[in-house]
Amino acid sequence: MIISNKWFILLIGLTLLLSACGTKEDVIIDQSVGGEDGGHQLEEELINELKNELKEELREELKEEIEEELREQLAAVHQETEENTGNELEQDKGELGWEGQWELNDHPDLNGYLHIYQETNEGFYFDIHVAYTHVGEIEGAYAIKNGNIAKSIEDEYGCVMTLRRTGNFITSEEGSECYVWSGMAIDLNREFTR
């Protein structure tokens, strides 16, 4: 804290001035304010007035410093909140980036899609369809997300599908019991893109 020395110096100067050797003028001042004690009384009043002015100035300086410190802290908290909100929004974009129509692209002779819908932060529903001369498909399955991997809830046959998302690609991987959903010579182990 920076304290203005002007009041302190002024107080010392006045104290030294008033305590200096008495002169004829001091006696006149003393007599005009009530005798010799009147000079001391005037000196005390001046000192008290200077003290009060100094206290007021110090209060104002302290108040300004506290307000400035609070503004800086508030600005830091605001900036941190904005950064965290920005990170959360980026994270949400990543977590909620599954939903949509994904097209099969890993084999030129196959047709198919992966449709993801009703996505939440926890998971989503999906339909997967792959066709050539045979068809493999699962409809209305629910998958629970964990980062860039989502696993379907085990169905009545024990089938669990794993979906891995990397950028604009999703790779599907069927569990060992998922063969009941695909025909002969076709499987659901595929790559989809938007």
Side-chain angles (χ1 to χ4, degrees):
M1 175 169 58
I2 299 172
I3 299 174
S4 175
N5 292 330
K6 69 180 181 181
W7 290 110
F8 183 70
I9 292 170
L10 186 58
L11 179 63
I12 291 175
L14 282 174
T15 304
L16 289 174
L17 181 63
L18 291 172
S19 64
C21 304
T23 64
K24 190 175 188 180
E25 290 82 14
D26 291 334
V27 173
I28 293 170
I29 291 172
D30 286 346
Q31 290 173 352
S32 67
V33 293
E36 290 182 21
D37 282 341
H40 293 291
Q41 187 178 10
L42 179 61
E43 183 180 323
E44 286 179 27
E45 287 175 10
L46 287 173
I47 289 172
N48 287 336
E49 187 177 324
L50 288 174
K51 283 180 183 178
N52 289 338
E53 288 177 13
L54 183 59
K55 285 179 186 177
E56 186 61 33
E57 184 177 317
L58 290 174
R59 274 190 205 115
E60 286 299 315
E61 288 180 14
L62 185 59
K63 179 182 170 187
E64 289 173 9
E65 286 181 19
I66 290 171
E67 287 175 351
E68 180 63 27
E69 182 68 27
L70 288 173
R71 277 193 290 275
E72 289 173 6
Q73 289 179 3
L74 185 59
V77 167
H78 181 69
Q79 181 178 356
E80 184 178 326
T81 301
E82 282 183 351
E83 290 172 0
N84 289 342
T85 302
N87 290 341
E88 289 170 5
L89 290 175
E90 286 300 315
Q91 185 178 5
D92 285 347
K93 284 180 187 174
E95 288 178 1
L96 295 176
W98 292 78
E99 190 165 325
Q101 186 80 11
W102 300 77
E103 300 299 325
L104 182 69
N105 77 337
D106 68 345
H107 194 284
D109 295 332
L110 295 176
N111 293 312
Y113 62 86
L114 171 64
H115 179 73
I116 296 176
Y117 53 97
Q118 295 181 5
E119 181 179 9
T120 66
N121 285 333
E122 292 77 33
F124 52 79
Y125 289 91
F126 70 95
D127 302 331
I128 185 169
H129 178 85
V130 179
Y132 181 55
T133 56
H134 294 78
V135 175
E137 68 182 347
I138 297 175
E139 292 185 351
Y142 185 79
I144 298 172
K145 297 187 297 185
N146 184 7
N148 67 337
I149 297 173
K151 288 192 178 227
S152 68
I153 295 175
E154 186 175 308
D155 68 11
E156 66 269 23
Y157 300 105
C159 173
V160 175
M161 291 290 297
T162 302
L163 305 174
R164 295 182 200 290
R165 191 190 73 204
T166 308
N168 287 329
F169 295 94
I170 293 181
T171 303
S172 63
E173 181 182 315
E174 63 181 34
S176 60
E177 301 301 318
C178 296
Y179 67 91
V180 297
W181 298 110
S182 48
M184 297 289 272
I186 196 144
D187 60 59
L188 299 174
N189 297 313
R190 299 289 163 205
E191 184 177 80
F192 300 87
T193 188
R194 291 198 224 224

